[in-house]
Amino acid sequence: RCVQETAAIEKLLNSYAREPGVRSLEKLTKRICEKIGLKYLREEYKENEEIRITKDNLHEFIGLPRFDEKKMYDTIPPPGIIIGLAYNAYGGNILYIETMKTNFDSVDATGKATIIQTNQQSQHVTTTTPIRKGSLKLTGSLGDVMQESIQIAYTYAKYICSQFFNNDFLETSDLHIHFPDGASKKDGPSAGVAITSSLLSLALNVQMEKEWAMTGEISLTGKVLKIGGVKEKMLSLIHI
């Protein structure tokens, strides 16, 4: 007799078979049965012994999970962290977007920079160079369309900060935008809204709720364009 616990079935669905339809689920179920039969032939089970499949021993039958079901942030994430929604061959999926400032020298509007001395004392010195301009670094296996989308979001976010908040954070800061799960290729324009929100969240020091997710391509003037894969993206919200 073989018993598969409910928790094991949930892990099978969330970590192994997220694709639309049941073809992958059927293949995995057959693999479990084949593994049990092989163990019987090797006499690893006693006659009439109950075989119990749990979420902890599921990997012994079908290998390691294909998808990570662990949440990156169990609490409200810090400013600059936004959840986007993606659509790929496996259906919908959530996509974390992380933005962080990488330069930590202080430059004010007069062109003065605070320099930290070795004796831990600070002094203001007048610079002869113009106020520094920020830069943008991108990581996370991003395709050409995704990189263009980031540049559009970066331009529009700077416009929002300047026109509505009198904020020059994005203009003067070196920023690093990262999309975790770097082994997976990411491309497409639909993360534009989420990227813009990530930049504004960091610039304005505002946290986003951990159960909020965004999707949609954004234009250079801030128009949100038609969204694709809505059904699949909505179903992926269960993983937030």
Side-chain angles (χ1 to χ4, degrees), residues 174-211:
D174 292 336
L175 302 177
H176 185 170
I177 299 180
H178 178 62
F179 292 72
D181 190 15
S184 300
K185 188 72 175 179
K186 307 169 190 70
D187 205 359
S190 62
V193 171
I195 298 167
T196 304
S197 299
S198 177
L199 290 164
L200 292 175
S201 170
L202 183 65
L204 303 177
N205 196 32
V206 176
Q207 294 174 283
M208 184 62 64
E209 292 292 335
K210 65 175 182 177
E211 296 181 348

Side-chain angles (χ1 to χ4, degrees), residues 60-77:
E60 298 177 7
F61 298 90
I62 54 177
L64 297 175
R66 296 177 57 190
F67 306 98
D68 187 8
E69 63 178 348
K70 184 179 179 181
K71 297 180 180 179
M72 289 187 61
Y73 299 94
D74 294 326
T75 59
I76 297 177

Side-chain angles (χ1 to χ4, degrees), residues 82-87 92-97 190-191 194 212-216 227-230 232-238 240:
I82 296 291
I83 301 176
L85 297 176
Y87 175 60
N93 195 16
I94 63 173
L95 184 71
Y96 282 95
I97 301 170
S190 62
W212 286 13
M214 305 178 184
T215 187
I227 300 171
V230 175
E232 291 79 5
K233 291 177 179 179
M234 291 296 292
L235 292 174
S236 71
L237 292 174
I238 192 174
I240 295 181

Side-chain angles (χ1 to χ4, degrees), residues 133-136 151-173 175 196 199-200 203:
K133 294 294 184 180
S135 63
L136 191 62
Q151 294 296 334
I152 292 171
Y154 184 49
T155 298
Y156 185 65
K158 288 195 293 185
Y159 168 79
I160 291 293
C161 286
S162 174
Q163 294 296 314
F164 298 98
F165 297 100
N166 193 26
N167 184 313
D168 64 351
F169 179 88
L170 298 180
E171 289 283 356
T172 59
S173 299
L175 302 177
T196 304
L199 290 164
L200 292 175

Side-chain angles (χ1 to χ4, degrees), residues 11-200:
K11 185 173 182 178
L12 180 64
L13 295 173
N14 293 327
S15 300
Y16 293 88
R18 289 187 183 178
E19 299 91 335
V22 296
R23 184 174 298 177
S24 296
L25 182 61
E26 182 180 8
K27 289 181 179 179
L28 291 169
T29 304
K30 287 182 179 179
R31 193 185 303 176
I32 292 175
C33 296
E34 291 170 355
K35 190 69 173 182
I36 292 173
L38 181 61
K39 287 178 177 288
Y40 261 117
L41 291 176
R42 291 176 176 175
E43 298 182 349
E44 296 182 23
Y45 294 125
K46 298 179 181 179
E47 188 175 355
N48 298 324
E49 179 183 354
E50 180 182 87
I51 303 171
R52 183 169 292 274
I53 301 175
T54 68
K55 66 177 183 178
D56 295 323
N57 68 5
L58 183 61
H59 67 278
E60 298 177 7
F61 298 90
I62 54 177
L64 297 175
R66 296 177 57 190
F67 306 98
D68 187 8
E69 63 178 348
K70 184 179 179 181
K71 297 180 180 179
M72 289 187 61
Y73 299 94
D74 294 326
T75 59
I76 297 177
I81 311 300
I82 296 291
I83 301 176
L85 297 176
Y87 175 60
N88 52 35
Y90 303 116
N93 195 16
I94 63 173
L95 184 71
Y96 282 95
I97 301 170
E98 301 177 327
T99 303
M100 178 178 288
K101 179 181 177 181
T102 58
N103 65 301
F104 302 100
D105 56 318
S106 177
V107 179
D108 62 26
T110 63
K112 294 182 178 180
T114 300
I115 300 178
I116 307 300
Q117 305 294 338
T118 55
N119 60 2
Q120 297 184 351
Q121 294 181 351
S122 300
Q123 64 179 4
H124 286 280
V125 295
T126 303
T127 62
T128 58
T129 57
I131 298 176
R132 72 185 316 279
K133 294 294 184 180
S135 63
L136 191 62
K137 180 180 180 180
L138 311 176
T139 54
S141 296
L142 308 178
D144 292 339
V145 177
M146 178 75 84
Q147 293 187 42
E148 290 179 358
S149 182
I150 293 174
Q151 294 296 334
I152 292 171
Y154 184 49
T155 298
Y156 185 65
K158 288 195 293 185
Y159 168 79
I160 291 293
C161 286
S162 174
Q163 294 296 314
F164 298 98
F165 297 100
N166 193 26
N167 184 313
D168 64 351
F169 179 88
L170 298 180
E171 289 283 356
T172 59
S173 299
D174 292 336
L175 302 177
H176 185 170
I177 299 180
H178 178 62
F179 292 72
D181 190 15
S184 300
K185 188 72 175 179
K186 307 169 190 70
D187 205 359
S190 62
V193 171
I195 298 167
T196 304
S197 299
S198 177
L199 290 164
L200 292 175

